[in-house]
Amino acid sequence: MRHGEYAAYEALVNHRQAFNNARTDGGPTVEATDAGSGDVLRRLLLFPDLADKPINFMPAGKNSSMTETTQQAISAISNCMLGPNDSFDLSGNPAAYTYFGQFAFHDIVFSRVFGKPSDPAGRTLRNAASGSLDLSGLYGRGLVVDAHLYDSASEGDTTLCRFPIGLPGVSDKEVKLPIDGAIERARDVPRIDASSGFLSVCGQKTPYRPLIGDPRNDDNLILSQLQCTLMQVHNRLVDLQMARHAASPQTAFEQARLYLTSVYRRVVVDDYLRRILWPKVWEHFFDGKEFRGPGVASLRPLADLPMEFTYGASRFAHSMIRDRYTVNDTFDQTPATLREILAFSSQRANGDVPVRVNWAVDWSRFTESGNAARLLKARRISPFLTYEMATVQHTADFDGAPRSIAFMDCWRCYELGIAPGQTIAAAVAVALAVDVPVLSDADMLPTDKCRERYSFQAGELERTLRAYPQFLVETPLSYYVMQEASVLGDDGDRLGPTGSFIVAAIVAAALFNAVDSEIQTPLSQSSAEPDNLAGLLRLADNRLVSDDQLYEYFQRSVHLDMPGRTYRRTGNVAT
């Protein structure tokens, strides 16, 4: 865990323990805890009525506590969640959507603990992000509050309006050039060293920090390259307006932000979510004018962090991560390993930054915009993960014990007392007013199609699951969502109804009900162009989308007078 996750997770665990003690140890009744931990937990749940229905720990053994027994079971199960290599387990979704989803979820949720450290009982978890789908990971808190993220367009006018773009590193060894043979096409996010000086293009390893709105978007090579690409799109939009419309730097910034946010929102809803959500759930939340579906009316404002999403359903993306990636043409013979992809991050000890020039991501390999034979597909959503996710101990528990990501995804559900997947699935059926199958017992075992694809791994996982029958009827939400996708989500091409409902509800609330977004006027989404991720990423490259075509997109989507435009006074100068 990084990015303050320890403190945030600890705060939630403390509230859960206090709530449980009040219910079971002769303390106050559940109602009496409403002003304290019980109220906090209900506020942090998508289904508040399930606060007092947490998943049960497994019974204690002769020489082990309930905690130890439960951890032993999770460890045994997560060690068997190792799937085969990528070629056996690919979905119909291009690989870019794995990381675009991560970017969008970062945009909505950034957990932080508020309150005095000396008063543990008074500390609580809140969302430090705007809670809106407004590209806060790109724009931060605007030109005033986060002025350090921006640069001016020229020396003659110092008005902030553009993003500085980082140069990639060049190693001392022979360098393989990017796909077009031009070093100047490769870019990285801007980075500064410990003295706040910009890095040079010398390529040595050093603790450079990313100069971006959300440091989590430097988690891996593909995510940071996505961040950098969006920064380049913004800069092109600013430059075009100033050149063709004689727009002021401030106006150019505002218009570029409005257009790019509008396109981004449409891509999230009309491309990404259409691909990964159960169709009936997508219709419930997004089938309406400006994508406002009938289910939006029942959503609460998204001011806090629903645990069912943060520590449950959102973890489905871990199963979509591939073992290897052909980042560009130079990797055709030897694809990059996931460990190498993860190493390009300032968030890890000895992170390999800046990004090397020959590691520039070729988006035509990650989206449906190039040669179909070269297209990289994401893995299916299922309990079968890559080696790095299932086995390698990339994270640690509170006591410092090294753990795998698969283990921690399940364990958090127990320690935070999130209701079992079966209980939440029943609640989703009520909310949707449709028949939602609740998976239990044999339904939680590997599907027939999984057994056909990888019989050995499926057999090992099934034997281990049968050894812990309680896991099959009270399943941690994170695992339940992946298994549900395998059973009810077109063999893992998309989420099942429970996972879909949680993800869709949070995105819809962020889109329509956010209470702390700078952009308050809803943007037109259904008409924004381009309408898919491939088209959005192509906007950064004038060889793929000419200046004339980009300006045409922009003019069709944004009126330069922008009647009714409003901003909250939280950093931007526009009102």
Side-chain angles (χ1 to χ4, degrees), residues 16-30:
R16 167 53 68 183
Q17 291 175 343
F19 182 67
N20 290 346
N21 291 340
R23 295 172 60 245
T24 62
D25 292 347
T29 63
V30 174

Side-chain angles (χ1 to χ4, degrees), residues 253-270:
F253 171 85
E254 294 169 3
Q255 302 288 1
R257 180 177 184 179
L258 286 167
Y259 167 72
L260 186 53
T261 304
S262 186
V263 172
Y264 163 70
R265 285 174 165 175
R266 181 178 184 182
V267 171
V268 170
V269 175
D270 206 20

Side-chain angles (χ1 to χ4, degrees), residues 44-97:
L44 296 175
L45 288 171
L46 184 62
F47 296 101
D49 293 342
L50 302 184
D52 59 349
K53 297 180 180 179
I55 188 170
N56 290 310
F57 282 66
M58 296 185 186
K62 290 184 178 180
N63 300 310
S64 59
S65 65
M66 289 191 299
T67 295
E68 291 169 336
T69 300
T70 303
Q71 289 187 335
Q72 290 167 5
I74 297 174
S75 181
I77 292 169
S78 60
N79 286 339
C80 291
M81 291 171 64
L82 175 62
N85 61 41
D86 296 332
S87 61
F88 290 93
D89 204 22
L90 298 180
S91 70
N93 297 310
Y97 290 92

